[in-house]
Amino acid sequence: MGGMDDLISVIVPAYNVEQYIGKCLDSILGQTYPNLEIILIDDGSTDGTGAICEAYRERDSRIIVVHQQNQGALAARNAGIEQAQGKYIGFVDGDDWISEQMYQELYGLLKRYDAEVAVCKKNIYSDATGMCFAESDVIAAGYYADCKNKDIMHNMFLGQSSGTGISLNLYDKLFSRKLIEGKYREVDCRLRYFEDMALAVLCMICAEGVAFVNIPYYFYRQRECSLCHSTDHQYLEQLNIFCDSVRPHMMEYSKEVSTRLDMFVADRAIYGLNYMMGLNLKNKVPYYIPPFKSIRPDDKVVLYGAGEVGKSFYRFFELTRPGQAVLWVDRQYEKLQREGLQVQDVECLRNQAFDKIIIAVKFRNNAEGIVSSLTEMGIPPEKIIWEQPQTLIDDEERDK
């Protein structure tokens, strides 16, 4: 089985993250599992990222720094893989950070079950609000011999944007190096989006054993200025490349997995139309569906939350039940009003007659905090509704 002498290579692609890379590296250096090789790939940064990486290299002999011309996340990650000497490989993005127990716990899972992949949950941290919420549990913790297990297949590709499918990112996992080395060259070199997901999918479906722990050891930072929120006219072309590259590997699975891939592509296509294609749509394609089954047609409804879910809920009410949503509130109302949205201060609830208040947020922890604040305002719990947001592409059979 081996012991704590197994080397883990942690690959950190970094591009213009001088504000964040210190916190990221401190969290890796502070791991309770000490036998690490930390490979920093400075992908042509034009800010102080490269200098910070060098300063850390001088402080700790476990750090290796590679500077290269800017080639994108895929090339940076591949450069790290080619440098890696560890028996196991993990990935951390340069603007994220990890819990100090993460690699010790994931390594323990791999050893306990003799698995090739160990998976934890992640926390979503918003730069805009400073709030941090854990993903919902998707699959029971424990060991699965392979990804043909029906519980895994039933949740692959679903709801990656709403946190309700098995994560297909690289960074919340620990892989056997043998598995990574056998698959990373198969990822289409044209991919700028989904390249991490492509590698994760290829590894997951070929893995001899996958172990899950439902503890959020990884902290994913949502940045408003990040690549994920930029405009790219080739986004749908990228989505097509991703789909074409992974679909052939799905053929030996059930039709259900292929259907889930189609649903994921539809999910991301709608996102692309709304946010990535530069179309400047005045009214976004509504994506999250309000819990209409939990309200009556004549109820006066308040919407609480004006993020991605809240905006979609509000648009659905505009289109299908005009006038039923009598008030829309959010703590960030001033910023949202500057964007032209009809969002009011939460305090306006005190002067508004309503029958139900729908909490329009993705994560249960976030919703529970809002419920607590609303009850403190004197709003009866029976008037408050939160349900896990369902999307246009959700499969009704999924939760059965």
Side-chain angles (χ1 to χ4, degrees), residues 52 97 134 149 183 226 230 291 369:
I52 295 171
W97 71 99
N149 179 283
K183 292 298 171 186
S226 70
S230 60

Side-chain angles (χ1 to χ4, degrees), residues 12-31:
V12 184
Y15 175 71
N16 286 356
V17 287
E18 63 179 2
Q19 299 175 64
Y20 313 110
I21 188 68
K23 183 181 179 89
C24 173
L25 295 179
D26 287 341
S27 74
I28 301 171
L29 293 174
Q31 290 293 292

Side-chain angles (χ1 to χ4, degrees), residues 48 129 245 289 307 348:
T129 65
S245 68
I289 303 171
C348 292

Side-chain angles (χ1 to χ4, degrees), residues 166-182:
I166 291 172
S167 165
L168 294 177
N169 305 116
L170 289 172
Y171 44 65
D172 49 10
K173 298 174 177 65
L174 185 60
F175 300 87
S176 76
R177 177 173 142 203
K178 179 181 175 183
L179 183 62
I180 289 285
E181 286 187 333

Side-chain angles (χ1 to χ4, degrees), residues 122-147:
K122 61 180 175 286
N123 291 291
I124 313 294
Y125 172 81
S126 169
D127 259 359
T129 65
M131 302 178 86
C132 188
F133 301 103
E135 292 178 308
S136 302
D137 291 356
V138 173
I139 190 168
Y143 175 73
Y144 298 81
D146 57 48
C147 281

Side-chain angles (χ1 to χ4, degrees), residues 37 155 201 269 283-284 294 298 309 326-328 334 346-347:
E37 165 187 76
N155 287 285
V201 169
N283 293 302
K284 304 295 186 185
S294 298
D298 57 346
V309 176
V326 296
L327 182 65
W328 190 14
E334 292 175 322
V346 174
E347 291 299 314

Side-chain angles (χ1 to χ4, degrees), residues 178-246:
K178 179 181 175 183
L179 183 62
I180 289 285
E181 286 187 333
K183 292 298 171 186
Y184 81 99
R185 292 184 182 88
E186 295 183 25
V187 176
D188 195 305
C189 63
R190 295 173 295 171
L191 283 174
R192 288 178 290 110
Y193 303 102
F194 314 109
E195 89 292 330
D196 62 330
M197 185 176 289
L199 180 55
V201 169
L202 294 177
C203 288
M204 290 278 283
I205 63 177
C206 294
E208 294 181 6
V210 181
F212 291 85
V213 58
N214 284 325
I215 299 174
Y217 291 122
Y218 193 93
F219 289 80
Y220 169 77
R221 184 190 300 272
Q222 282 188 329
R223 289 198 287 150
E224 291 191 70
C225 61
S226 70
L227 178 69
C228 298
H229 296 89
S230 60
T231 296
D232 190 336
H233 298 283
Q234 295 181 332
Y235 179 83
L236 293 184
E237 179 184 342
Q238 287 280 303
L239 182 59
N240 188 62
I241 293 170
F242 167 77
C243 183
D244 286 347
S245 68
V246 301

